[in-house]
Amino acid sequence: MSEFNQPLGGNEMPRFGGPATMMRLPTQDDAAGLNAAFIGIPMDIGTSNRPGTRMGPRQIRDESRMLRPYNMATRAAPFDSLQVADIGDVPINTFHLPKSIDIITRYYDEVLAHDCTPLTLGGEHTLTLPVLRAIAKKHGPVGLIHVDAHADINNHMFGEPIAHGTPIRRAQEEGLLDSRRVVQIGLRGTGYAADDFDWCREQGFRVVTAEQCWYRSLEPLMREVREQMGDGPVYITFDIDSLDPSVAPGTGTVEMAGLTASQGLEIVRGAEGLNIVGGDLVEVAPPYDTSGNTALMGASLLYEMLCVLPGVTHRD
């Protein structure tokens, strides 16, 4: 018997049965005793286009039943060395976005008090701001690997300072980010002005557009990103709309010609060796992909984030 929690295997219980948790892991009420925790934030009240991400955590968990404990490509064995559980969902106020922001930060303050690394199932991208507020209290300004079709640096949306298109600007303004260690990968699509991405560059962020990623491996890019991030704390935020809609159509703000699924894997796997202090996978909207494939992409990427956390052992 392992001292660490293990996902329920497909030879013990059919994959269409068993607990509906992330990777069919055990649950507990809080982060006590855990090295890492999967946490859902089922919200879409900050969404500007198609709603539905409130159902994202539930479907990500459902599709995660296909994941097995060992990473055959990287040989990572996270459940050999980390205590991991699914601690459920943050009880947001679905009728009040500002109150929900405060609820999320307080929840993550408690998680981080247990020295537990949070991996978040979204939910729309507004949630990254309150999570980063808690992360920065513990770790100080963090480096950020932001994978997204959109820069999320709007100043306001319909006059509101907080929505799913504003979290990166607010995080920068609040001093939550180490701007010398921020990289945004996969930005693309139309805009309102020719210089829409220039605000990011003016802050010192590295911007890698989707067009710069076409037809190539991103392993060389991630070597540069690892050098840029150094030994400091790093947070990963991965918007599923960074992937091309041919592989991830179930999201609220679709843009054509995005990253491939394998490039998404290269980015997360390329973060191995960094001091990763948390991560999220956001903007899975199940109503727009009845196949569940988008949620499976999300579940797989969250598993890959787990595999690159500090302290994960690798099998020979």
Side-chain angles (χ1 to χ4, degrees):
M1 291 288 291
S2 172
E3 63 180 296
F4 300 108
N5 292 339
Q6 299 296 310
L8 180 61
N11 293 323
E12 301 170 68
M13 169 69 70
R15 294 199 178 276
F16 44 81
T21 60
M22 183 65 182
M23 295 188 69
R24 305 199 298 180
L25 280 163
T27 61
Q28 60 183 62
D29 293 334
D30 57 31
L34 298 179
N35 302 115
F38 290 110
I39 305 164
I41 304 184
M43 64 184 253
D44 57 12
I45 47 177
T47 300
S48 61
N49 190 35
R50 303 188 299 192
T53 55
R54 67 181 61 188
M55 305 306 296
R58 180 164 294 191
Q59 195 183 38
I60 290 170
R61 288 183 171 109
D62 187 22
E63 298 301 333
S64 75
R65 69 188 185 273
M66 287 304 301
L67 299 175
R68 299 166 184 84
Y70 300 107
N71 192 318
M72 303 303 290
T74 68
R75 311 305 288 173
F79 304 106
D80 284 4
S81 49
L82 299 183
Q83 188 69 301
V84 188
D86 185 332
I87 64 172
D89 292 337
V90 178
I92 64 154
N93 181 334
T94 197
F95 303 110
H96 200 297
L97 182 57
K99 287 182 179 178
S100 292
I101 297 300
D102 292 339
I103 290 168
I104 293 166
T105 298
R106 289 195 299 269
Y107 188 99
Y108 280 74
D109 284 340
E110 177 66 22
V111 170
L112 293 166
H114 293 289
D115 292 325
C116 174
T117 300
L119 295 174
T120 303
L121 294 64
E124 38 89 359
H125 220 157
T126 312
L127 66 86
T128 299
L129 175 62
V131 173
L132 283 173
R133 286 174 173 172
I135 291 279
K137 287 181 196 176
K138 184 176 180 67
H139 298 286
V142 296
L144 184 71
I145 299 174
H146 174 206
V147 192
D148 204 327
H150 310 100
D152 290 351
I153 48 85
N154 290 327
N155 195 17
H156 295 88
M157 300 187 79
F158 288 92
E160 298 297 328
I162 295 180
H164 78 155
T166 70
I168 305 305
R169 180 181 283 254
R170 296 288 92 85
Q172 171 67 359
E173 291 172 345
E174 293 178 20
L176 310 180
L177 305 178
D178 178 353
S179 60
R180 300 162 302 173
R181 298 191 303 117
V182 175
V183 59
Q184 296 179 293
I185 306 172
L187 305 191
R188 65 188 191 276
T190 53
Y192 289 103
D195 58 355
D196 271 1
F197 297 159
D198 286 348
W199 186 89
C200 307
R201 298 183 178 101
E202 290 164 2
Q203 309 309 304
F205 300 175
R206 179 174 183 178
V207 175
V208 183
T209 64
E211 288 81 359
Q212 292 172 277
C213 300
W214 288 353
Y215 315 120
R216 65 187 62 187
S217 167
L218 298 188
E219 286 188 2
L221 168 65
M222 292 310 296
R223 283 198 297 271
E224 296 174 2
V225 169
R226 288 194 299 274
E227 183 176 350
Q228 178 182 359
M229 295 297 164
D231 297 329
V234 177
Y235 188 87
I236 301 173
T237 181
F238 199 117
D239 189 323
I240 204 70
D241 71 23
S242 63
L243 301 183
D244 190 78
S246 62
V247 296
T251 190
T253 311
V254 173
E255 305 283 359
M256 72 175 294
L259 303 176
T260 66
S262 58
Q263 287 175 324
L265 287 177
E266 286 181 318
I267 292 168
V268 178
R269 290 175 180 174
E272 184 178 351
L274 296 178
N275 180 19
I276 299 167
V277 295
D280 62 54
L281 187 290
V282 298
E283 297 285 358
V284 171
Y288 312 111
D289 183 4
T290 55
S291 73
N293 286 347
T294 305
L296 179 59
M297 298 292 113
S300 300
L301 289 163
L302 282 160
Y303 168 70
E304 295 284 344
M305 288 186 202
L306 177 67
C307 287
V308 298
L309 291 185
V312 170
T313 61
H314 290 73
R315 292 207 168 181
D316 295 331

